[in-house]
Amino acid sequence: MHRQRVMARTLGLATAVALAATACGSQKTENTGSASTAPSASAAVTTPESSPSSDDKPAGDPSPSPSASASSASPSASASASSSPSASPSVKAVMANGDDSEQVRELQARLKQLKLMSVAPTGFYGSKTTTAVKSFQSRNGLTASGSVDAETWKKIQGLTKKPTADELRPPTVNEVDAPDPRCMTGRVMCISKESRTLAWMIDGKVISTMDVRFGSENTPTREGVFDVGWKAKEWTSTIYHTPMPYAMFFSGGQAVHYSADFAARGYSGASHGCVNVRDKAKLSKLFDDVKVGDKVVVYW
């Protein structure tokens, strides 16, 4: 009997240590978005088409489309290379769905000035850009094709100003949420499930921000106030066998860490509870700044 009790205690301790150290990693299923035990968690489940960054270039397609290659060369080249099937046959499109260029990034920034887009420019002309262009065209008596012809582009330019560098490339794709009151004092990683962003704050001042991804419905990221317990610049989950660079553990096996899967697939994937970051350079700097004992707040 004594031997059985010793074996049970040993097995239980080993299991607890393994879970605490490595209970994270990217899921291979299509479970997406930030999950929570809150009633509104189901609303946060997203697909590439419905996520705030649906105008990201689709994962697995690193090369631009034929029309994208043309549009990146020059506006005139784009005009001759891509046309909207719903526009008049005699009117060539300057930009259209599938294009990937700096001109598209400028278009998106101008549409955001007009309050027709809420996400940051990505340079990829996807469903959200098409919808915004159609809305602009309808409001201004133009053919609502969803593609930008010369007349539409001239009208958009006339109603907006030249985008600044920050407007063209803001710090996050997602718009940063208002900080939780618990983030306003001390050194805090302030993590919003609502906006899917992390703000590094010191005494109420935002130092840097980045996009984040959370666990699925089955493996939700915990909410509450925590402390950074320990850090590891290089770490691999022994449960899921996935790399977790720049890991900052704050609740058992849950950590803020870089995710190559998040960088590649965006919100079409999910973690096993960790807070994934896709901007490796930003996270590297944050990792150097954050100290063991700093506060972590995860909230809706």
Side-chain angles (χ1 to χ4, degrees):
M1 180 65 71
H2 176 70
R3 183 182 179 185
Q4 290 177 338
R5 285 198 300 268
V6 170
M7 289 177 66
R9 288 174 58 191
T10 303
L11 180 60
L13 179 60
T15 303
V17 170
L19 286 173
T22 62
C24 206
S26 300
Q27 296 200 21
K28 299 301 182 183
T29 65
E30 288 301 309
N31 272 333
T32 62
S34 56
S36 165
T37 54
S40 58
S42 60
V45 177
T46 60
T47 64
E49 195 63 23
S50 62
S51 75
S53 56
S54 67
D55 271 21
D56 279 345
K57 193 170 183 179
D61 181 19
S63 60
S65 63
S67 61
S69 299
S71 64
S72 61
S74 68
S76 59
S78 174
S80 62
S82 60
S83 61
S84 167
S86 58
S88 169
S90 61
V91 179
K92 298 289 185 180
V94 175
M95 289 169 276
N97 197 303
D99 283 352
D100 187 4
S101 69
E102 287 304 299
Q103 190 182 21
V104 171
R105 187 182 294 276
E106 181 182 344
L107 165 68
Q108 293 166 333
R110 289 179 183 271
L111 289 171
K112 192 168 184 182
Q113 290 178 17
L114 294 169
K115 310 298 183 186
L116 293 174
M117 290 192 74
S118 58
V119 299
T122 64
F124 178 73
Y125 201 123
S127 60
K128 287 187 177 294
T129 305
T130 300
T131 299
V133 169
K134 280 184 178 180
S135 179
F136 176 84
Q137 290 168 328
S138 296
R139 293 181 186 183
N140 290 275
L142 304 169
T143 301
S145 65
S147 298
V148 178
D149 56 21
E151 184 179 8
T152 300
W153 185 225
K154 184 177 180 180
K155 188 79 171 176
I156 290 173
Q157 289 177 308
L159 293 174
T160 57
K161 61 180 178 64
K162 184 175 178 59
T164 64
D166 284 343
E167 287 178 312
L168 290 171
R169 285 180 171 78
T172 59
V173 171
N174 301 327
E175 191 169 342
V176 180
D177 201 2
D180 184 278
R182 296 169 293 181
C183 300
M184 300 308 292
T185 57
R187 298 162 56 86
V188 193
M189 282 194 283
C190 194
I191 302 169
S192 169
K193 285 190 170 183
E194 180 70 24
S195 65
R196 296 187 289 192
T197 56
L198 181 156
W200 169 234
M201 302 179 64
I202 299 178
D203 295 330
K205 180 181 178 181
V206 176
I207 307 301
S208 65
T209 59
M210 55 202 75
D211 298 321
V212 293
R213 186 179 72 171
F214 303 100
S216 70
E217 224 173 273
N218 296 324
T219 56
T221 303
R222 301 181 192 102
E223 297 158 26
V225 180
F226 312 92
D227 292 327
V228 175
W230 59 289
K231 300 164 53 180
K233 188 173 183 178
E234 298 293 338
W235 189 261
T236 300
S237 168
T238 57
I239 294 178
Y240 304 108
H241 309 292
T242 51
M244 298 166 57
Y246 303 107
M248 293 173 278
F249 290 87
F250 61 87
S251 178
Q254 295 195 350
V256 175
H257 70 86
Y258 171 72
S259 168
D261 181 79
F262 183 24
R265 294 202 296 157
Y267 291 101
S268 63
S271 75
H272 283 94
C274 285
V275 178
N276 290 164
V277 178
R278 59 181 167 189
D279 191 323
K280 196 171 187 177
K282 277 189 177 182
L283 186 60
S284 172
K285 175 66 166 61
L286 178 63
F287 182 87
D288 291 339
D289 291 344
V290 170
K291 301 175 182 177
V292 171
D294 284 346
K295 191 161 58 174
V296 180
V297 178
V298 183
Y299 68 101
W300 273 102

